[in-house]
């Protein structure tokens, strides 16, 4: 399983599409077996979910995320956990321990 966190300076970013990098953790049997970075490609509306699917991502963890992005990710069978904040290493530990919950609603898309 591959879990991608939208990050900047190893912290989960406030907005999914505006991160510098995705830190991707490979998880097997509740253990992190590897991690790598994917640079966020130049912004194109609706492109990022497909890009993440092409990279084998199963779960996205982000701070704020727009409703359109959530819908596109879910259509691609990528689980979305939103409105998360904190250091990437701490967040992934919470995820593995089933302590991470999605809070609230997607951002309105008015700022795009």
């Amino acid at each position: 399983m591959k879990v991608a966190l939208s990050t900047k300076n190893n912290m989960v970013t406030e907005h999914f599409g505006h991160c510098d990098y995705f830190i991707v953790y490979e998880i097997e049997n509740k253990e992190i077996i590897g991690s790598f970075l994917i640079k966020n490609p130049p912004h194109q509306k609706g492109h990022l979910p497909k890009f993440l699917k092409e990279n084998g991502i199963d779960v996205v963890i982000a701070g704020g995320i727009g409703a359109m992005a959530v819908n596109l990710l879910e259509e691609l069978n990528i689980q979305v956990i939103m409105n998360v904040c904190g250091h990437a290493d701490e967040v992934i530990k919470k995820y593995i321990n089933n302590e991470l919950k999605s809070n609230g609603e997607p951002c309105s898309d008015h700022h795009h």
Side-chain angles (χ1 to χ4, degrees):
M1 168 189 278
K2 290 182 182 172
V3 181
L5 282 67
S6 63
T7 59
K8 186 174 194 164
N9 301 324
N10 292 323
M11 300 295 286
V12 174
T13 52
E14 285 180 22
H15 201 280
F16 164 72
H18 301 176
C19 67
D20 291 344
Y21 289 89
F22 291 93
I23 299 178
V24 179
Y25 292 91
E26 295 182 81
I27 299 171
E28 212 169 88
N29 300 322
K30 296 197 169 226
E31 295 285 322
I32 297 169
I33 57 170
S35 66
F36 58 94
L37 295 177
I38 300 176
K39 187 165 176 38
N40 189 6
H43 189 76
Q44 293 177 318
K45 200 167 180 80
H47 172 70
L48 203 45
K50 290 184 218 112
F51 172 79
L52 292 171
K53 185 69 176 180
E54 287 163 8
N55 281 277
I57 304 304
D58 300 296
V59 179
V60 166
I61 298 174
I65 183 169
M68 186 178 106
V70 171
N71 291 338
L72 289 170
L73 287 161
E74 289 178 345
E75 281 172 19
L76 295 169
N77 293 319
I78 298 174
Q79 181 190 357
V80 179
I81 301 174
M82 64 189 136
N83 299 322
V84 172
C85 60
H87 192 278
D89 290 342
E90 297 300 315
V91 169
I92 199 66
K93 283 178 194 154
K94 286 182 180 174
Y95 174 78
I96 290 170
N97 293 325
N98 289 323
E99 295 167 2
L100 203 58
K101 300 281 179 273
S102 231
N103 297 311
E105 295 294 315
C107 301
S108 65
D109 289 325
H110 68 267
H111 59 265
H112 290 283

